Amino acid sequence: MVYMVQAPLQLLFAGEATYRVFYSTTHGALLSGWRDAERLNPLLQAPFPRLSRLRKMRLALRRADCLVEVHDRSHIPLSGRNPALQEALGIRPHVLVLNKMDLADPRRQPPPLPPSLPAASGLAEMGAHWIHGPSPENPVFCLASRYSLLGPEAAREENQQVEAGSRSPMPSITYGSSGKVLSPKAVREARDFFYVLLASTRSFQASKKPPCPSVGQYLQAEIARTVPQEDARQLQMAMFATCLKLECCISGTHSMDLVALEPFGEYVSLPGLDCTFPRGYSSLTERLLSDLPEGTVLLNKAVRTIRWQGSFREQWDDARVFPVRVECEDGDVFLADHVIVTVPLGFLKEHHQEFFQPPLPERKAQAIRHLGFGTTNKIFLEFEQPFWEPQQQLLEVVWEDESALGEPSPDLKATWFKKLIGFVVLQPPEQHGHVLCGFIAGKEAEYMETLSDAEVLRAMTRVLRTMTGNPSLPAPRSVLRSRWHSAPYTRGSYSYVAVGSSGEDIDVLAQPLPEDPRDPRPLQLLFAAEATYRVFYSTTHGALLSGWREAERLNPLLQAPFPRLSREAAE
């Protein structure tokens, strides 16, 4: 459609060549743009002759079957407290989607770090790093492919067909705490043996009597049973300890002793060689947001309480009754027929009792208490020049005096950095600079958050000098780290099935409220997020699929004639 408008100033010209005294300069180009903006101001402040953006939005709303508001951080709400837009909407089903950035009291903690921060000339992903299992079965990969957000390697069919659960064959080097590079053959043999044991944990899925309560206890028992306890095996035992630390990072837990053995095999690994977004994970969310009308997403809107099972009315419309009322910290209130809550499990563990009124049913509260939620953090180190070889993509760290059968030190202050599993080299250096990304999990990761940047940088410098055997190794020039445990919106990273819980707890957490399917006002509260997807918990694709699942749950209600309207009319 083309709109023809008769108006002055149809074409305006800016650019450095149009600024008489500052031609050929950047500031001349900038000033020329400001000049022409000033020329337009008198016209735009008067009644505008063409269709305004608001008018177009109202036309679109009149054709809509349902209004969905997605709230996450800033912008003006599409409807919210706006009577004019309420009038444009008429009586339509109203779905309010609350994302994790809403559901926190900003006075409790400083705001969390954004998902992606500039580092060198590229991006440092503070949250999700890889697409795990990039293959046609993965919806994140499919969306990224559709929007051309991936590099050419990720699109190759042979990469998509790599066996599910395979560890990425990154060119790596393994340093020992003795300051020497460890034998690649010895490292490979120990790692292969460990992952054979880890794969055997899947055989206890649905077992009524697993041999041990936890994955960690089972692995330690098998190592003690099958590996001779000899001095010559010390390196192998140290490698097993490093493998357990890696599994803690993957599972988002302090110890594999906390991860339940029987349901561990329910988790599904998709095929494909893990890949990254060249422009950051946020490039996908930005592309998805670009399809929504402007003003649909509201950011930085802290929510105090969600009241459900109520009868709430807008001040300007007493005829319409809503069952859910969302109360914000700044005093704003949003009424809705349905609210989709995607707040992380860590926040629910701390705040669910006061956050929902009336409180959640005991069955759901119990599932929240039983499931596990831990912390995995990243530590980015930027160097003037790399000390690693160009082909190396992973620098592993092994403390040779440790053993998978030993007890961890309780002195976090003295040993926290030993939980670090190593460093991934951010690729390519032309985009990222010379940057290493270290991974650390559990209580050690939480302790790291309490330290200053200078303390973390000094500790990392000591680790690298110890591992390389080079006491003169230049220190990193900067450090950047995530603090997911301190972030009030998350209180950790992602979920796992803890000892004492099961996959059934995940299903209970995902169930909408009210529980009674015969309730005349169904699906008031719906729950999404990674912790609600039984076979893909802890993953981005699990989080995405959980949102789609709840949207599908609402579809029959929103496509049919609105039941509350007809019921109220009949009464």
Side-chain angles (χ1 to χ4, degrees):
M1 187 177 293
V2 177
Y3 294 96
M4 301 297 292
V5 179
Q6 290 187 346
L9 302 182
Q10 297 178 27
L11 297 179
L12 298 93
F13 297 87
E16 53 85 16
T18 71
Y19 209 92
R20 183 164 182 169
V21 296
F22 291 144
Y23 57 87
S24 80
T25 67
T26 308
H27 52 276
L30 176 62
L31 287 166
S32 73
W34 288 354
R35 176 197 64 210
D36 286 308
E38 287 299 319
R39 282 178 176 154
L40 283 173
N41 260 347
L43 285 179
L44 302 183
Q45 289 170 354
F48 200 37
R50 65 167 190 255
L51 278 175
S52 69
R53 182 174 294 170
L54 180 59
R55 185 180 169 197
K56 285 191 240 182
M57 186 184 296
R58 286 179 176 174
L59 289 174
L61 287 173
R62 289 195 182 100
R63 295 192 296 268
D65 295 320
C66 168
L67 171 66
V68 178
E69 284 191 72
V70 183
H71 290 256
D72 197 28
R73 292 182 227 167
S74 80
H75 293 251
I76 298 172
L78 181 64
S79 60
R81 312 291 292 171
N82 189 324
L85 285 176
Q86 287 286 344
E87 182 182 355
L89 269 175
I91 299 179
R92 307 283 170 79
H94 189 168
V95 183
L96 182 61
V97 181
L98 298 178
N99 211 342
K100 64 185 179 185
M101 303 300 286
D102 292 304
L103 306 181
D105 182 345
R107 299 170 300 182
R108 294 190 185 111
Q109 295 281 349
L113 291 168
S116 301
L117 289 179
S121 57
L123 287 171
E125 294 281 18
M126 305 303 284
H129 197 99
W130 289 281
I131 300 177
H132 294 296
S135 56
E137 294 92 336
N138 187 322
V140 173
F141 175 75
C142 292
L143 286 174
S145 299
R146 181 192 305 171
Y147 297 137
S148 302
L149 299 176
L150 302 176
E153 285 295 312
R156 291 170 54 190
E157 281 195 28
E158 54 266 36
N159 285 347
Q160 300 175 35
Q161 295 168 358
V162 172
E163 183 180 354
S166 298
R167 294 306 189 270
S168 300
M170 288 183 176
S172 64
I173 183 171
T174 305
Y175 292 102
S177 52
S178 61
K180 298 177 182 178
V181 175
L182 301 181
S183 162
K185 181 176 181 294
V187 168
R188 183 175 60 255
E189 288 176 351
R191 185 185 293 113
D192 290 347
F193 181 84
F194 179 86
Y195 287 121
V196 168
L197 291 182
L198 187 67
S200 69
T201 61
R202 301 186 68 85
S203 63
F204 301 108
Q205 182 179 340
S207 171
K208 293 183 179 180
K209 291 185 177 181
C212 301
S214 74
V215 173
Q217 290 170 306
Y218 169 77
L219 292 174
Q220 290 170 329
E222 288 299 294
I223 289 170
R225 183 178 67 84
T226 57
V227 179
Q229 305 303 302
E230 304 168 358
D231 290 342
R233 296 289 184 176
Q234 179 56 43
L235 175 59
Q236 192 176 23
M237 300 302 288
M239 271 300 304
F240 293 156
T242 300
C243 290
L244 281 171
K245 294 175 191 176
L246 174 59
E247 290 307 310
C248 287
C249 285
I250 293 171
S251 292
T253 183
H254 172 63
S255 168
M256 295 306 289
D257 291 350
L258 302 175
V259 180
L261 176 60
E262 182 271 321
F264 191 62
E266 289 188 354
Y267 178 88
V268 173
S269 295
L270 296 175
L273 191 63
D274 291 355
C275 65
T276 61
F277 288 87
R279 297 191 299 278
Y281 240 105
S282 58
S283 62
L284 177 59
T285 54
E286 288 166 0
R287 178 61 183 80
L288 293 172
L289 285 173
S290 70
D291 291 334
L292 298 176
E294 185 176 350
T296 305
V297 177
L298 179 68
L299 305 172
N300 288 330
K301 196 74 172 174
V303 172
R304 182 193 299 276
T305 307
I306 299 177
R307 302 187 185 277
W308 58 294
Q309 289 288 56
S311 298
F312 306 107
R313 291 177 170 83
E314 297 282 8
Q315 292 179 348
W316 55 84
D317 184 7
D318 288 340
R320 181 73 187 280
V321 179
F322 294 89
V324 186
R325 173 185 169 102
V326 177
E327 300 173 358
C328 300
E329 289 289 341
D330 62 5
D332 276 355
V333 171
F334 297 90
L335 306 186
D337 300 300
H338 316 285
V339 173
I340 303 175
V341 181
T342 65
V343 59
L345 177 62
F347 180 89
L348 289 178
K349 281 180 170 292
E350 290 193 358
H351 303 294
H352 73 86
Q353 289 180 309
E354 70 271 15
F355 191 70
F356 297 97
Q357 295 298 328
L360 299 175
E362 177 55 26
R363 186 162 172 256
K364 190 178 286 284
Q366 189 175 64
I368 290 170
R369 291 193 295 268
H370 285 178
L371 288 168
F373 195 81
T375 302
T376 296
N377 273 324
K378 298 178 182 180
I379 304 174
F380 294 92
L381 303 174
E382 186 180 19
F383 293 82
E384 293 284 355
Q385 295 295 329
F387 62 84
W388 54 91
E389 298 298 323
Q391 73 276 10
Q392 292 168 354
Q393 297 181 29
L394 176 64
L395 313 181
E396 294 183 295
V397 175
V398 176
W399 296 91
E400 295 167 86
D401 59 343
E402 291 186 338
S403 168
L405 303 181
E407 290 294 326
S409 171
D411 188 355
L412 292 179
K413 182 178 180 180
T415 62
W416 70 268
F417 51 83
K418 288 190 173 183
K419 193 69 169 288
L420 193 79
I421 62 168
F423 300 89
V424 170
V425 180
L426 296 194
Q427 299 284 351
E430 296 79 18
Q431 176 185 353
H432 295 281
H434 308 302
V435 179
L436 300 179
C437 175
F439 291 83
I440 187 170
K443 296 187 184 302
E444 292 83 356
E446 295 171 9
Y447 178 80
M448 181 272 295
E449 296 183 24
T450 68
L451 303 177
S452 67
D453 283 352
E455 289 173 310
V456 173
L457 192 146
R458 285 196 296 270
M460 294 299 98
T461 301
R462 287 197 303 271
V463 168
L464 291 171
R465 288 174 176 173
T466 299
M467 294 299 163
T468 60
N470 180 3
S472 301
L473 186 77
R477 71 178 184 183
S478 63
V479 63
L480 179 70
R481 67 273 181 47
S482 59
R483 299 181 181 90
W484 289 112
H485 180 69
S486 303
Y489 308 123
T490 58
R491 303 298 290 151
S493 301
Y494 38 81
S495 65
Y496 60 92
V497 183
V499 172
S501 65
S502 68
E504 185 178 349
D505 288 313
I506 297 177
D507 291 340
V508 169
L509 182 58
Q511 286 303 304
L513 296 175
E515 294 178 305
D516 187 352
R518 298 166 299 177
D519 193 292
R521 300 179 301 175
L523 304 181
Q524 295 176 33
L525 299 183
L526 300 96
F527 296 83
E530 53 84 16
T532 71
Y533 209 90
R534 185 162 180 167
V535 297
F536 292 142
Y537 56 87
S538 82
T539 68
T540 309
H541 53 274
L544 176 62
L545 286 167
S546 74
W548 288 356
R549 176 194 65 211
E550 298 312 307
E552 286 298 319
R553 214 190 290 267
L554 281 173
N555 261 347
L557 282 181
L558 303 183
Q559 289 174 352
F562 198 38
R564 277 173 291 286
L565 176 62
S566 58
R567 192 170 292 118
E568 289 168 3
E571 292 171 354

